[in-house]
Amino acid sequence: MPATKRYRYKVLKWITGSLLGIFLVLAGIAWFLNVKSRPMLTSRIKTLLYTSTDSLYTISFTKVSTNIFTGNATLQNVKITPDQNRYKQLIALKRAPNNLYTVSLKKLVVKRFHPLTLYRERKLQLEEVLFDKPEVSMVNRQFAFNEGRAPRPIKSPYAFISKNLKEFSIKSIRFRDVSFKYVNNNLKKEVPFAIDDLNITLTDLLVDSTSAEDPTRFYLLKDIVINLNDYAYRTPDKMYDIKLEKLDFRASTGKLRVNHFALVPLHDEMAFGKVAGYARERFNISMNDIMFNGIDMPLYISKQELWAKEMAIANGFVSVFSQKGLKQKPVENKIGRFPHQLLQRVNMPILVQKIQVKDVGINYAVYNNESNQKGQITFQHTSGFIKNATNLQKIKAINPVMEANLTTYLCGQGKLDVNFVFDLTANDGAFSYNGTLHSFNARVLNQITKPLGLVRINRGNVDQLKFNFKANDSGAKGTVAFSYYDLSVALMRNDPEKDHLVTRGLLSFLANALIIKSENPGPDGKLIPLSVNYSRPANTSFFSMIWRSLFTGIKYSIGITEEKQNEVKAHIAKFKAMRESHLQRKQKRLERRQNRERLEKREKR
């Protein structure tokens, strides 16, 4: 081998050997630090959790592994549990939190924990902590001594860690695919609420000498983000599924958005009541683009009270269907089920200052066994707002009224402006409603008057319908002013042989001639509001009571009063008597003629 080549070979060999030696030294140091850091990291984690929670929580795990190059650590079979004896002590000291948590998971990953910073500066800084598929249980118990407290620890955790650490921070804490269970210990018979596949991210946790007093933080965090892709829950009666699609919440802004919410009946319209075993209203609800603004997250975490400045609902529908003829449930009683009464019965304390409604369709339908048809009335493109939706006593003491102002279109044509005022404190469910229905073609009402009232509107035009009612559990009293012209109707009956409704010719003629007012106001030009006193049967729903009270006023306005109906009945009775008399005379004439013919035959013989 030439001298030059031998020299190059020695240099290459020396470099290779040196690099291998350096690598071995570094690997040895890394191994040493990994091995040596595990006991310290384990001790620091356990001590940090225990001391920073006022000795309330302990953490256990079976194994910890670290990697000095990546700055990562993994904890296996992790359990975070509260000390019940310490909890009782904190209650006595009036330092106990309202929520108690238990967390268990197979693996907890700590990413980029910067061990050199921990050794040199006594700062434990973590980039990310990942709880993968944890099971979290949250038990809530309200304590009077926590009322009005700021969303921060009673005593700064820094006081517990300052002897060992100057700072403890985590940029991101992620709970991925959480199985979450909530138990309300403030109620005697509360059913635990459970949900799976929840994702929660806690942002920028900081424990140092100043973080506990930072007004931009709550519970030492900068933000909480919650995501839920899909959620489905079957109601205990097995009649509905409740579905949510894509829920997103950010605590720093107080905004919550749900892409889609649905209450889905599990049986079709005609089968629903039969499966239930009695006449029961069937609801079908679908709402898109539900948005909450200004949610008070700290208040919800501490007391499970939902306070929001605004809620917006857009692009959806509410459909209600009932079937006449099915047996009534003996204990079925819809008294106490008006919207504001149901709100008061919700277990969760709620205050939504304003609810915006945009482009929502409402459909109310009834199947009538007498006509064998379904009648329905629709309100399309409903928009408006609801103010002060609450069941909180302290809010009702200040403002006891929930108000709704809505604009909708009856059967897609007549514009309807309606106002509801609900008394949130009334024991009898008192509320009022008034509004104006503007011009439309009356024939659109045939979709409800024919199947339910057996009345067909041949023609007619509505100028205006004004109404003003006060209502409660027992019924509704008010006035209806109905202005229309060129009205003509036909009375119908079900013909089993023809399997459809047919016109009752004579009754229709009498109705138009003797009952129905073809126009209102009449020739005198005076439009006088008519009084309505509707007594509500105990099994009548909110929607049904409003419709029936208005329909009663409409009937009176067009002339279908009890007096007029009695008058028509008298005319019908008189007509029947005349017809019977005519038939009897005809029969007698026939008998006389037959007798004459028999006599004539005898005489000819």
Side-chain angles (χ1 to χ4, degrees):
M1 182 182 296
T4 304
K5 289 185 177 180
R6 286 199 302 269
Y7 175 76
R8 290 176 181 175
Y9 173 75
K10 288 180 179 179
V11 171
L12 181 61
K13 184 177 179 181
W14 181 85
I15 292 174
T16 303
S18 300
L19 290 176
L20 180 61
I22 293 171
F23 175 77
L24 290 174
V25 170
L26 291 175
I29 293 172
W31 173 85
F32 176 79
L33 290 176
N34 271 332
V35 172
K36 291 296 183 180
S37 66
R38 288 173 194 166
M40 189 195 72
L41 185 62
T42 300
S43 175
R44 286 290 174 90
I45 290 173
K46 291 182 176 181
T47 302
L48 182 65
L49 182 68
Y50 184 73
T51 56
S52 64
T53 60
D54 204 356
S55 307
L56 179 57
Y57 287 97
T58 58
I59 184 171
S60 64
F61 41 88
T62 58
K63 182 182 178 182
V64 58
S65 58
T66 60
N67 188 312
I68 195 67
F69 291 117
T70 61
N72 295 347
T74 302
L75 285 65
Q76 304 286 347
N77 301 314
V78 180
K79 288 187 177 180
I80 300 173
T81 55
D83 184 331
Q84 295 295 337
N85 291 327
R86 179 56 178 167
Y87 183 57
K88 293 176 182 178
Q89 293 175 1
L90 291 175
I91 293 174
L93 295 170
K94 297 185 177 181
R95 296 209 308 257
N98 285 354
N99 296 316
L100 208 58
Y101 298 90
T102 302
V103 182
S104 63
L105 66 159
K106 290 186 177 180
K107 185 173 69 173
L108 186 152
V109 180
V110 178
K111 296 184 178 181
R112 296 179 292 280
F113 59 86
H114 306 298
L116 294 178
T117 305
L118 176 62
Y119 297 145
R120 294 175 179 175
E121 302 180 29
R122 293 196 302 133
K123 292 182 179 181
L124 181 53
Q125 298 174 337
L126 311 179
E127 294 291 328
E128 182 180 75
V129 175
L130 174 63
F131 292 77
D132 192 22
K133 297 181 179 180
E135 295 180 359
V136 179
S137 174
M138 170 181 165
V139 179
N140 181 263
R141 179 181 172 188
Q142 303 294 327
F143 294 110
F145 53 76
N146 283 331
E147 186 74 23
R149 277 183 172 161
R152 57 177 62 98
I154 296 172
K155 187 174 182 180
S156 172
Y158 182 72
F160 300 103
I161 69 169
S162 58
K163 292 182 181 180
N164 300 305
L165 293 172
K166 291 182 179 180
E167 177 188 300
F168 171 57
S169 63
I170 308 175
K171 287 189 176 181
S172 177
I173 304 172
R174 294 174 56 209
F175 293 81
R176 186 171 62 189
D177 296 336
V178 180
S179 293
F180 180 79
K181 183 173 76 172
Y182 166 70
V183 180
N184 188 347
N185 267 0
N186 304 291
L187 302 174
K188 293 182 179 179
K189 296 182 179 180
E190 175 71 3
V191 178
F193 170 76
I195 190 170
D196 295 327
D197 301 324
L198 192 65
N199 296 302
I200 303 173
T201 301
L202 312 179
T203 303
D204 192 9
L205 172 69
L206 177 63
V207 179
D208 64 9
S209 59
T210 61
S211 61
E213 301 301 323
D214 186 346
T216 66
R217 295 179 179 271
F218 43 92
Y219 304 110
L220 306 175
L221 297 163
K222 277 290 186 180
D223 208 352
I224 299 175
V225 179
I226 300 174
N227 305 105
L228 178 65
N229 288 329
D230 294 293
Y231 171 72
Y233 169 74
R234 183 151 295 179
T235 57
D237 60 8
K238 311 298 182 185
M239 300 299 286
Y240 294 96
D241 276 343
I242 297 174
K243 296 183 178 181
L244 284 176
E245 293 181 10
K246 196 168 177 54
L247 179 150
D248 296 292
F249 172 73
R250 185 174 291 274
S252 59
T253 61
K255 289 186 176 182
L256 182 148
R257 181 175 182 177
V258 177
N259 278 16
H260 182 71
F261 166 83
L263 177 68
V264 183
L266 299 179
H267 308 281
D268 63 31
E269 290 180 339
M270 298 304 294
F272 191 85
K274 294 176 181 178
V275 174
Y278 61 95
R280 178 179 175 182
E281 287 185 332
R282 174 186 180 272
F283 289 85
N284 187 8
I285 301 174
S286 177
M287 295 292 173
N288 300 310
D289 300 328
I290 301 174
M291 179 80 77
F292 283 88
N293 287 320
I295 293 178
D296 190 332
M297 182 67 172
L299 181 64
Y300 182 77
I301 291 176
S302 64
K303 300 185 66 176
Q304 274 63 67
E305 292 187 7
L306 178 59
W307 287 47
K309 292 180 179 179
E310 187 177 24
M311 177 182 179
I313 303 173
N315 305 318
F317 67 83
V318 177
S319 180
V320 185
F321 174 83
S322 64
Q323 183 178 356
K324 288 185 176 181
L326 296 178
K327 68 176 183 179
Q328 298 292 327
K329 189 177 180 181
V331 296
E332 180 72 4
N333 189 330
K334 295 180 181 177
I335 301 298
R337 296 189 183 181
F338 292 153
H340 60 308
Q341 292 174 312
L342 293 175
L343 177 61
Q344 306 313 304
R345 291 160 59 178
V346 175
N347 289 332
M348 178 189 296
I350 295 173
L351 168 62
V352 182
Q353 295 178 10
K354 186 176 182 179
I355 302 174
Q356 291 277 5
V357 179
K358 183 179 180 181
D359 199 19
V360 173
I362 301 171
N363 181 75
Y364 178 71
V366 178
Y367 183 83
N368 186 3
N369 286 356
E370 185 178 355
S371 64
N372 288 329
Q373 291 186 7
K374 181 176 77 171
Q376 63 181 357
I377 186 168
T378 61
F379 299 92
Q380 301 175 17
H381 306 297
T382 304
S383 300
F385 64 85
I386 302 169
K387 289 184 177 180
N388 195 42
T390 186
N391 56 11
L392 291 166
Q393 293 297 332
K394 54 188 175 184
I395 301 299
K396 292 189 290 183
I398 301 172
N399 181 9
V401 168
M402 179 174 72
E403 184 177 0
N405 282 281
L406 302 171
T407 295
T408 187
Y409 292 85
L410 176 66
C411 302
Q413 290 195 19
K415 182 183 176 184
L416 171 62
D417 299 310
V418 61
N419 169 261
F420 292 91
V421 178
F422 300 95
D423 188 339
L424 300 176
T425 61
N427 294 326
D428 62 354
F431 71 100
S432 64
Y433 53 102
N434 64 81
T436 301
L437 177 60
H438 302 275
S439 61
F440 67 98
N441 190 319
R443 293 181 63 186
V444 302
L445 296 176
N446 279 329
Q447 59 185 296
I448 192 168
T449 60
K450 283 177 62 178
L452 301 188
L454 296 177
V455 175
R456 184 186 69 214
I457 300 174
N458 294 326
R459 63 179 184 273
N461 292 281
V462 175
D463 281 332
Q464 193 178 77
L465 172 68
K466 279 192 172 184
F467 55 92
N468 192 344
F469 282 88
K470 290 185 178 180
N472 56 31
D473 286 330
S474 61
K477 295 180 180 180
T479 59
V480 172
F482 188 30
S483 173
Y484 62 91
Y485 63 94
D486 194 28
L487 180 64
S488 173
V489 302
L491 304 185
M492 315 293 289
R493 67 178 177 86
N494 188 29
D495 189 335
E497 295 181 358
K498 296 182 179 180
D499 196 29
H500 63 79
L501 297 179
V502 297
T503 303
R504 305 176 73 172
L506 177 61
L507 289 180
S508 299
F509 171 77
L510 292 174
N512 284 294
L514 301 176
I515 296 182
I516 303 300
K517 296 164 58 178
S518 63
E519 61 182 14
N520 190 34
D524 59 2
K526 294 181 179 179
L527 179 64
I528 300 175
L530 295 178
S531 297
V532 177
N533 188 353
Y534 175 76
S535 296
R536 175 198 182 196
N539 63 348
T540 303
S541 69
F542 175 75
F543 287 108
S544 181
M545 187 188 76
I546 291 175
W547 160 247
R548 291 178 184 276
S549 61
L550 290 175
F551 188 61
T552 300
I554 292 172
K555 286 198 304 181
Y556 287 177
S557 297
I558 66 176
I560 307 179
T561 62
E562 293 182 4
E563 294 80 2
K564 285 289 186 181
Q565 289 179 357
N566 290 334
E567 183 181 340
V568 168
K569 288 178 181 178
H571 279 284
I572 292 173
K574 184 178 179 180
F575 173 79
K576 287 182 177 180
M578 292 172 59
R579 185 179 181 184
E580 184 66 26
S581 176
H582 171 73
L583 291 174
Q584 288 177 359
R585 291 196 301 270
K586 185 177 180 180
Q587 181 64 29
K588 288 180 180 180
R589 287 195 300 268
L590 178 61
E591 290 175 356
R592 287 196 298 268
R593 188 178 66 185
Q594 290 175 346
N595 290 334
R596 287 195 303 268
E597 289 176 351
R598 283 196 296 267
L599 288 173
E600 290 176 356
K601 287 181 180 181
R602 288 176 184 176
E603 291 176 356
K604 288 181 180 179
R605 293 176 183 174

